[in-house]
Amino acid sequence: MSTEDLRYHPRVPVLWWTRKPSYFVFVMRELSSLFIAWLVLYLLLFVRAVGRGDAAYADFLAWATSPWLVVLNAVAFAFLVLHTITWFSLTPQAMVIDLGGRRVPPAVIIGAQYAALAVVSVLVYWLVTR
Amino acid sequence: MSQSIRLRVARYRPDKDTEPGWQEYDVPLREEWTVLDGLNHVKNEVDTTLSFRWSCRMGICGSCGMNVGGEPRLTCATFLSDYAPGPVDVAPLSNFPVVRDLVVDITDFMEKLPRVKPWLIRDEEQPVDEGEYLQSPEELDAYKQFSMCINCMLCYAACPVYGLEPEFIGPAAIALAERYDLDSRDHGTRQRLDVLIEQEGVYGCTFVGECTRVCPKHVDPAAAIQRYKLKAAQESVKMFLLPRALRR
Amino acid sequence: MKLRVEPFLWLAFSGGGVMAAVILPVLAFLFGLAFPLGWLDPPDHEHLAAVVGHPITFLVLFGANVLMLIHAAHRFRYTLYDGLQVKHRFLVGAVCYGGALLGAFLALHMLGSAT
């Protein structure tokens, strides 16, 4: 047997994810992680400001209107929406739920998640603005 | 002369080339012709040096997988007319070493398949004179879809994780493991989990989902992998929380 | 079966993914956009202080935030590793999970200070 390797070994380019729309959406979905981390940090700062009293809270709200922060939060929110949609739509593949010996159809699992999102959103909104 | 369509075919001649190049051939564009028919026309009528694999021409043997127009496809199930007016790019499957032209080296895949123990594992073998292991239609349905895999490796060609991390055991092998796990006659789940719980088992997967999208047999390897992650996690939690005596 | 850390990380990643998909959108929308931009009137300080000062709010926010940070760390680890082909497995893991751990301490401190 010959010891020389004559096979051609393809290499994956660093920008492999720009080659197909589905790869691109995948990498964008993965990048949502950075924006989720930012939103967590932002909310923590918000809570700290509330804890520090009336003046700190007013200062924070004023700071939060600065254009770069609004743009950052808007972009982060868009990535978060991408995360939510993709997360919900992939759940039925990752989980098989049996109810009464019958497999729950994917559309029902997806619908239930959106229902949960709606309930939690209304609850939080009510709690915050009541 | 009837209509024709241009094939742009990736050529790699190991004795001459250091990397693949493109060669163009015009083939007749007939409604009932697949990409494989086009390649066979080239091989028979135009250029006998072109190398590619094929066998059954009916989407069963899994040997004619190639990248057609940048997507992994069975060339016997992909029609030339869908790419009219052309040209149609035909390249070897991605993520595998190229032996020659459109032929890739599948040694790695063949070595990975048996690692997940894709056969019935029994705690206790039943003596032959007690007859066969019976199974109800519902029990067959539980794993049937995962048994449809024809080992065409399109899912490996579509998987960026396999391309970047060749140690990853890959979509088809994990789907096959799930096929045996879901089989009511099988008791081998734990043995397979031992193989798949590693980083190069299921946890290397980032759920791109392309394996499922390109599968010509609708096997859904991505689902198999995520369910394995869940299964491995549940077993790990149990193992962590329960004392040795209570396990199982 | 062997005991590995990866399944536990994946469980936390999944839990955090659910939190980020279900709880975070309304919080990000209200506090990041709607209140600062005046689309909705911001709640007065007294009410908000009472809400964030409640022990249940603390528990929910702390749990959700830590899970979401692990989620982000886990996902970004793979983004670096596969997407950008940064092949230093240990270093990438240390930076990502280390960041999440730091964030968890930060969360404990900041949420605790408001309680």
Side-chain angles (χ1 to χ4, degrees):
Chain A
M1 208 180 128
S2 155
T3 50
E4 193 186 358
D5 185 4
L6 291 173
R7 298 171 304 172
Y8 172 70
H9 294 270
R11 290 201 56 82
V12 179
V14 176
L15 293 180
W16 60 269
W17 44 277
T18 57
R19 286 181 158 187
K20 265 201 246 180
S22 50
Y23 287 165
F24 182 77
V25 171
F26 160 72
V27 168
M28 289 302 113
R29 183 191 92 194
E30 300 298 284
L31 276 181
S32 68
S33 57
L34 276 186
F35 294 96
I36 285 171
W38 156 250
L39 287 171
V40 167
L41 183 69
Y42 175 82
L43 288 174
L44 288 174
L45 290 171
F46 201 108
V47 170
R48 187 180 65 162
V50 171
R52 281 183 174 174
D54 207 354
Y57 174 57
D59 283 350
F60 188 91
L61 275 181
W63 178 66
T65 57
S66 41
W68 68 270
L69 205 55
V70 170
V71 169
L72 176 60
N73 280 337
V75 172
F77 186 73
F79 271 93
L80 181 62
V81 169
L82 177 67
H83 164 78
T84 298
I85 292 172
T86 51
W87 191 269
F88 285 174
S89 67
L90 290 178
T91 305
Q93 257 178 304
M95 279 177 112
V96 176
I97 302 171
D98 280 316
L99 270 185
R102 284 255 178 112
R103 190 174 162 185
V104 179
V108 174
I109 298 179
I110 295 175
Q113 294 178 98
Y114 279 102
L117 172 68
V119 168
V120 168
S121 300
V122 168
L123 191 73
V124 168
Y125 177 75
W126 172 76
L127 200 65
V128 167
T129 59
R130 159 173 73 127
Chain B
M1 196 192 139
S2 62
Q3 265 191 304
S4 69
I5 189 166
R6 179 156 293 183
L7 292 181
R8 282 181 78 227
V9 182
R11 300 294 312 264
Y12 173 69
R13 283 145 300 200
D15 46 340
K16 296 185 198 139
D17 305 334
T18 52
E19 58 179 52
W22 295 96
Q23 190 162 347
E24 299 190 342
Y25 303 100
D26 287 322
V27 299
L29 176 61
R30 304 210 178 110
E31 200 187 350
E32 69 278 15
W33 268 26
T34 63
V35 174
L36 182 60
D37 292 320
L39 290 172
N40 272 322
H41 173 85
V42 173
K43 177 90 176 169
N44 295 336
E45 311 285 339
V46 186
D47 183 350
T48 55
T49 67
L50 182 65
S51 300
F52 53 96
R53 273 201 195 98
W54 62 281
S55 179
C56 77
R57 292 182 296 174
M58 51 193 281
I60 290 298
C61 75
S63 52
C64 71
M66 296 168 208
N67 258 343
V68 182
E71 287 277 328
R73 315 268 314 185
L74 292 180
T75 48
C76 71
T78 305
F79 286 88
L80 283 172
S81 52
D82 289 340
Y83 295 85
V88 193
D89 285 3
V90 185
L93 287 179
S94 310
N95 301 336
F96 292 97
V98 180
V99 177
R100 182 189 167 92
D101 296 343
L102 301 166
V103 179
V104 292
D105 184 352
I106 61 172
T107 312
D108 182 57
F109 176 67
M110 299 311 282
E111 187 269 317
K112 276 172 177 161
L113 268 186
R115 268 201 242 161
V116 301
K117 306 179 197 240
W119 50 79
L120 289 184
I121 297 171
R122 300 283 298 182
D123 289 339
E124 219 168 310
E125 286 290 349
Q126 181 175 300
V128 175
D129 48 341
E130 280 181 30
E132 57 274 75
Y133 300 122
L134 295 178
Q135 199 164 49
S136 70
E138 290 77 28
E139 287 168 335
L140 170 67
D141 279 342
Y143 68 83
K144 196 173 171 197
Q145 198 51 49
F146 289 114
S147 74
M148 295 297 178
C149 174
I150 56 172
N151 298 340
C152 64
M153 297 169 296
L154 298 195
C155 52
Y156 284 74
C159 175
V161 177
Y162 178 64
L164 293 159
E165 198 52 56
E167 291 301 307
F168 178 42
I169 199 154
I174 299 172
L176 193 59
E178 180 75 347
R179 174 249 174 277
Y180 281 94
D181 272 13
L182 292 173
D183 193 317
S184 58
R185 301 165 295 181
D186 180 85
H187 304 140
T189 305
R190 283 182 175 256
Q191 293 187 36
R192 294 187 192 100
L193 271 178
D194 263 344
V195 178
L196 293 177
I197 201 168
E198 304 291 341
Q199 175 72 27
E200 58 273 18
V202 290
Y203 288 106
C205 163
T206 45
F207 208 166
V208 187
E210 283 294 285
C211 48
T212 294
R213 205 175 61 78
V214 301
C215 179
K217 295 291 167 185
H218 311 292
V219 170
D220 203 353
I225 300 172
Q226 309 319 310
R227 287 172 207 173
Y228 251 111
K229 288 180 189 169
L230 191 61
K231 212 167 359 180
Q234 282 167 339
E235 290 299 315
S236 298
V237 170
K238 258 192 238 167
M239 205 168 150
F240 189 69
L241 293 180
L242 292 181
R244 197 165 282 274
L246 286 175
R247 277 180 209 160
R248 284 200 79 112
Chain C
M1 203 180 80
K2 304 165 198 165
L3 202 55
R4 291 279 182 271
V5 68
E6 206 67 31
F8 295 97
L9 285 175
W10 180 81
L11 267 187
F13 159 80
S14 302
V18 172
M19 292 297 154
V22 174
I23 298 182
L24 199 53
V26 61
L27 292 174
F29 178 75
L30 288 178
F31 295 104
L33 295 170
F35 293 149
L37 292 177
W39 297 344
L40 291 168
D41 286 332
D44 57 64
H45 175 258
E46 195 187 348
H47 171 65
L48 214 49
V51 172
V52 298
H54 199 280
I56 292 178
T57 315
F58 172 81
L59 282 178
V60 170
L61 279 185
F62 182 69
N65 279 336
V66 170
L67 283 178
M68 286 192 283
L69 286 171
I70 299 175
H71 166 88
H74 189 73
R75 216 170 214 186
F76 193 59
R77 171 185 150 209
Y78 280 104
T79 312
L80 285 178
Y81 195 66
D82 291 335
L84 297 174
Q85 300 190 32
V86 184
K87 290 292 171 193
H88 305 279
R89 185 172 281 186
F90 180 78
L91 189 70
V92 166
V95 167
C96 291
Y97 296 121
L101 192 66
L102 197 71
F105 280 116
L106 210 66
L108 191 65
H109 173 72
M110 288 191 181
L111 292 172
S113 72
T115 311

